[in-house]
Amino acid sequence: MRNIINKSPETHPLTWRVRNDHNPVWINEYKSKNGYFGASKALHYMEPKEIINLIKDSCLKGRGGAGFSTGIKWSMMPKDNESRHIHYLLCNADEMEPGTYKDRFLMEQLPHLLIEGMLIAAFTIKASRGYIFLRGEYINAAETLRRAIKEANTAGLLGKNILGSGFNLDIFLHTGAGRYICGEETALINSLEGRRATPRSKPPFPASIGVWGKPTCVNNVETLCNVPAILEYGVKWYKSIKAKNASKDTGTKLMGFSGRVKNPGLWELPFGITARELLEDYAGGLVDGLKLKAWLPGGASTGFLTENHLDVPMDFENISQAGSRLGTALAIAVDNTINMVALTRNLEEFFSRESCGWCTPCRDGLPWSVKLLSALDNRKGQPGDIEILEQLCSCLGPGKTFCAHAPGAIEPLQSAIKYFRVEFEAGIADYFSNTSKITCIHNN
């Protein structure tokens, strides 16, 4: 992570504790840097309802990509304490979005920040068990989290009667088997239960029927890591963190740029910073000799934007108005040497392979798009192929499949056709493209 400006708890609540040698911050160092202050405050001086209202007032949104209000999500959990209503907290750490590595960074370097966030969240929703569902390939993160959980148990920050408050919480680490669809919360729940990772019909939502039929709250890693600082410094401070450009979103966000840029990386920045600032001031711009052609704002499942959109503020609303999604805010640069048809085919092959196959539009539509894109990429496409791709984009759109996998998958395809149609048209085979020269049919 590039250290461009000085970090402080007030300006960089997520990353100011990161060590210069990038080794994990273990419990003694974390506590010496005011760690678990927010959790102690919550357990000793606040009621769950009070914390929910605080998080609502902070306007904290989920950092996994959807941007749903965290406070509202917590408030959807049942309020009673009856034993038949065991509650679970589930941390979604199945970070499979291509080009995204922000949660991995937090878990490998600040494991106790996540545990503290989970402790506050569990106390608030009255969950006595928490699970971290971790992407299976994150070997280092798994080792770091296991040690951190053990440290927290030894220090009385997990287990029975935490900090003498009477609250109990056990946290378990569960490593996944490597499926993109597990990022969808109900598919994740099925996988945790040992079932096939297919999304569930909603409603009922996990807050009513989740893990093993019990009320469950699913939160992203970065979302939970935002919570301790809100407890410590309050809503007014959290809402005051903004870039010079006005943004309705609050707090900071881990943002980044990858691709052929001079300084690919990850930075904690306030919402509202422009994509141009992120690309040029932090990522250093593209390597010499290359020109920006397009960029994905937040992972492979977000729509392409162009150089004309670089001055758009990086937040949920403005990126949406520009025609894409903020997603994970880990942007990918596409340079002028890359063919958009080949790139889009590559993306759709990934999404087609990762489809769970539960609903027909996704199961059959994505492989069909790959077949058409492969033909266009090899200049063997036929007239009408582009129009069929556009129809597929419509048929796989929001509300037409069980989950958001297919709608996310076709976003890069839809936008690539919109901005770079001429490259798709170039994929129509010469035999068919010459048919336009025939002006009439002569009678025998």
mmCIF file of all heavy atoms in Angstrom, residues 256-274:
data_model
loop_
_atom_site.group_PDB
_atom_site.id
_atom_site.type_symbol
_atom_site.label_atom_id
_atom_site.label_comp_id
_atom_site.label_asym_id
_atom_site.label_seq_id
_atom_site.Cartn_x
_atom_site.Cartn_y
_atom_site.Cartn_z
ATOM 1 N N GLY A 256 -8.563 0.828 -5.285
ATOM 2 C CA GLY A 256 -7.307 0.457 -5.919
ATOM 3 C C GLY A 256 -7.390 0.499 -7.419
ATOM 4 O O GLY A 256 -8.467 0.733 -8.003
ATOM 5 N N PHE A 257 -6.262 0.310 -8.075
ATOM 6 C CA PHE A 257 -6.200 0.215 -9.537
ATOM 7 C C PHE A 257 -5.199 -0.870 -9.895
ATOM 8 O O PHE A 257 -4.113 -0.938 -9.313
ATOM 9 C CB PHE A 257 -5.758 1.547 -10.161
ATOM 10 C CG PHE A 257 -6.781 2.131 -11.095
ATOM 11 C CD1 PHE A 257 -7.485 3.267 -10.740
ATOM 12 C CD2 PHE A 257 -7.042 1.527 -12.315
ATOM 13 C CE1 PHE A 257 -8.449 3.811 -11.584
ATOM 14 C CE2 PHE A 257 -8.002 2.064 -13.172
ATOM 15 C CZ PHE A 257 -8.711 3.206 -12.803
ATOM 16 N N SER A 258 -5.577 -1.745 -10.811
ATOM 17 C CA SER A 258 -4.655 -2.745 -11.339
ATOM 18 C C SER A 258 -4.689 -2.664 -12.853
ATOM 19 O O SER A 258 -5.382 -1.832 -13.423
ATOM 20 C CB SER A 258 -5.041 -4.144 -10.845
ATOM 21 O OG SER A 258 -6.352 -4.476 -11.271
ATOM 22 N N GLY A 259 -3.973 -3.549 -13.504
ATOM 23 C CA GLY A 259 -3.800 -3.451 -14.944
ATOM 24 C C GLY A 259 -2.415 -2.884 -15.229
ATOM 25 O O GLY A 259 -1.545 -2.869 -14.356
ATOM 26 N N ARG A 260 -2.213 -2.399 -16.444
ATOM 27 C CA ARG A 260 -0.882 -1.887 -16.806
ATOM 28 C C ARG A 260 -0.707 -0.440 -16.344
ATOM 29 O O ARG A 260 -0.546 0.484 -17.148
ATOM 30 C CB ARG A 260 -0.696 -2.006 -18.304
ATOM 31 C CG ARG A 260 -0.576 -3.454 -18.769
ATOM 32 C CD ARG A 260 -0.534 -3.556 -20.278
ATOM 33 N NE ARG A 260 -0.368 -4.942 -20.710
ATOM 34 C CZ ARG A 260 -0.541 -5.349 -21.957
ATOM 35 N NH1 ARG A 260 -0.854 -4.489 -22.907
ATOM 36 N NH2 ARG A 260 -0.381 -6.613 -22.276
ATOM 37 N N VAL A 261 -0.751 -0.256 -15.039
ATOM 38 C CA VAL A 261 -0.502 1.058 -14.440
ATOM 39 C C VAL A 261 0.876 1.010 -13.782
ATOM 40 O O VAL A 261 1.412 -0.060 -13.508
ATOM 41 C CB VAL A 261 -1.586 1.428 -13.412
ATOM 42 C CG1 VAL A 261 -2.929 1.587 -14.097
ATOM 43 C CG2 VAL A 261 -1.673 0.362 -12.319
ATOM 44 N N LYS A 262 1.426 2.190 -13.522
ATOM 45 C CA LYS A 262 2.798 2.244 -13.005
ATOM 46 C C LYS A 262 2.891 1.762 -11.567
ATOM 47 O O LYS A 262 3.898 1.199 -11.165
ATOM 48 C CB LYS A 262 3.325 3.682 -13.112
ATOM 49 C CG LYS A 262 3.533 4.147 -14.548
ATOM 50 C CD LYS A 262 3.994 5.598 -14.584
ATOM 51 C CE LYS A 262 4.179 6.064 -16.025
ATOM 52 N NZ LYS A 262 4.513 7.500 -16.109
ATOM 53 N N ASN A 263 1.863 2.018 -10.791
ATOM 54 C CA ASN A 263 1.918 1.674 -9.373
ATOM 55 C C ASN A 263 0.617 1.001 -8.924
ATOM 56 O O ASN A 263 -0.177 1.584 -8.203
ATOM 57 C CB ASN A 263 2.165 2.951 -8.556
ATOM 58 C CG ASN A 263 2.296 2.663 -7.081
ATOM 59 O OD1 ASN A 263 2.948 1.696 -6.678
ATOM 60 N ND2 ASN A 263 1.666 3.489 -6.259
ATOM 61 N N PRO A 264 0.387 -0.233 -9.382
ATOM 62 C CA PRO A 264 -0.850 -0.914 -8.964
ATOM 63 C C PRO A 264 -0.876 -1.087 -7.459
ATOM 64 O O PRO A 264 0.155 -1.362 -6.836
ATOM 65 C CB PRO A 264 -0.761 -2.260 -9.688
ATOM 66 C CG PRO A 264 0.692 -2.476 -9.941
ATOM 67 C CD PRO A 264 1.275 -1.103 -10.158
ATOM 68 N N GLY A 265 -2.042 -0.913 -6.869
ATOM 69 C CA GLY A 265 -2.098 -1.052 -5.414
ATOM 70 C C GLY A 265 -3.468 -0.773 -4.837
ATOM 71 O O GLY A 265 -4.484 -0.740 -5.552
ATOM 72 N N LEU A 266 -3.441 -0.551 -3.537
ATOM 73 C CA LEU A 266 -4.662 -0.448 -2.731
ATOM 74 C C LEU A 266 -4.461 0.688 -1.741
ATOM 75 O O LEU A 266 -3.424 0.764 -1.086
ATOM 76 C CB LEU A 266 -4.852 -1.772 -1.997
ATOM 77 C CG LEU A 266 -6.012 -1.969 -1.054
ATOM 78 C CD1 LEU A 266 -7.296 -2.134 -1.836
ATOM 79 C CD2 LEU A 266 -5.766 -3.224 -0.205
ATOM 80 N N TRP A 267 -5.461 1.565 -1.614
ATOM 81 C CA TRP A 267 -5.338 2.711 -0.722
ATOM 82 C C TRP A 267 -6.660 2.942 0.008
ATOM 83 O O TRP A 267 -7.729 2.725 -0.554
ATOM 84 C CB TRP A 267 -4.984 3.974 -1.510
ATOM 85 C CG TRP A 267 -3.742 3.805 -2.331
ATOM 86 C CD1 TRP A 267 -2.449 4.005 -1.938
ATOM 87 C CD2 TRP A 267 -3.662 3.370 -3.699
ATOM 88 N NE1 TRP A 267 -1.581 3.718 -2.961
ATOM 89 C CE2 TRP A 267 -2.286 3.329 -4.045
ATOM 90 C CE3 TRP A 267 -4.612 2.989 -4.662
ATOM 91 C CZ2 TRP A 267 -1.847 2.936 -5.311
ATOM 92 C CZ3 TRP A 267 -4.178 2.599 -5.917
ATOM 93 C CH2 TRP A 267 -2.807 2.576 -6.235
ATOM 94 N N GLU A 268 -6.559 3.419 1.241
ATOM 95 C CA GLU A 268 -7.768 3.806 1.979
ATOM 96 C C GLU A 268 -8.039 5.276 1.683
ATOM 97 O O GLU A 268 -7.226 6.148 2.012
ATOM 98 C CB GLU A 268 -7.582 3.606 3.488
ATOM 99 C CG GLU A 268 -8.861 3.975 4.259
ATOM 100 C CD GLU A 268 -8.711 3.814 5.762
ATOM 101 O OE1 GLU A 268 -7.604 3.521 6.241
ATOM 102 O OE2 GLU A 268 -9.730 4.014 6.463
ATOM 103 N N LEU A 269 -9.190 5.543 1.096
ATOM 104 C CA LEU A 269 -9.493 6.892 0.623
ATOM 105 C C LEU A 269 -10.936 7.263 0.977
ATOM 106 O O LEU A 269 -11.788 6.388 1.124
ATOM 107 C CB LEU A 269 -9.311 6.964 -0.899
ATOM 108 C CG LEU A 269 -7.879 6.720 -1.398
ATOM 109 C CD1 LEU A 269 -7.874 6.476 -2.892
ATOM 110 C CD2 LEU A 269 -6.984 7.885 -1.035
ATOM 111 N N PRO A 270 -11.210 8.547 1.083
ATOM 112 C CA PRO A 270 -12.593 8.965 1.355
ATOM 113 C C PRO A 270 -13.449 8.837 0.098
ATOM 114 O O PRO A 270 -12.950 8.982 -1.032
ATOM 115 C CB PRO A 270 -12.433 10.430 1.764
ATOM 116 C CG PRO A 270 -11.178 10.868 1.080
ATOM 117 C CD PRO A 270 -10.272 9.675 1.050
ATOM 118 N N PHE A 271 -14.716 8.555 0.269
ATOM 119 C CA PHE A 271 -15.632 8.546 -0.877
ATOM 120 C C PHE A 271 -15.629 9.929 -1.530
ATOM 121 O O PHE A 271 -15.487 10.958 -0.857
ATOM 122 C CB PHE A 271 -17.050 8.218 -0.416
ATOM 123 C CG PHE A 271 -17.285 6.765 -0.146
ATOM 124 C CD1 PHE A 271 -17.399 6.303 1.153
ATOM 125 C CD2 PHE A 271 -17.382 5.860 -1.189
ATOM 126 C CE1 PHE A 271 -17.623 4.961 1.414
ATOM 127 C CE2 PHE A 271 -17.610 4.510 -0.941
ATOM 128 C CZ PHE A 271 -17.727 4.065 0.358
ATOM 129 N N GLY A 272 -15.800 9.952 -2.825
ATOM 130 C CA GLY A 272 -15.880 11.221 -3.531
ATOM 131 C C GLY A 272 -14.615 11.584 -4.273
ATOM 132 O O GLY A 272 -14.633 12.472 -5.138
ATOM 133 N N ILE A 273 -13.497 10.907 -3.973
ATOM 134 C CA ILE A 273 -12.299 11.126 -4.759
ATOM 135 C C ILE A 273 -12.604 10.678 -6.186
ATOM 136 O O ILE A 273 -13.359 9.735 -6.405
ATOM 137 C CB ILE A 273 -11.109 10.337 -4.176
ATOM 138 C CG1 ILE A 273 -9.825 10.702 -4.900
ATOM 139 C CG2 ILE A 273 -11.358 8.848 -4.218
ATOM 140 C CD1 ILE A 273 -8.593 10.078 -4.266
ATOM 141 N N THR A 274 -12.060 11.378 -7.179
ATOM 142 C CA THR A 274 -12.390 11.007 -8.554
ATOM 143 C C THR A 274 -11.540 9.825 -9.018
ATOM 144 O O THR A 274 -10.449 9.569 -8.488
ATOM 145 C CB THR A 274 -12.167 12.178 -9.520
ATOM 146 O OG1 THR A 274 -10.763 12.468 -9.572
ATOM 147 C CG2 THR A 274 -12.940 13.408 -9.078
#
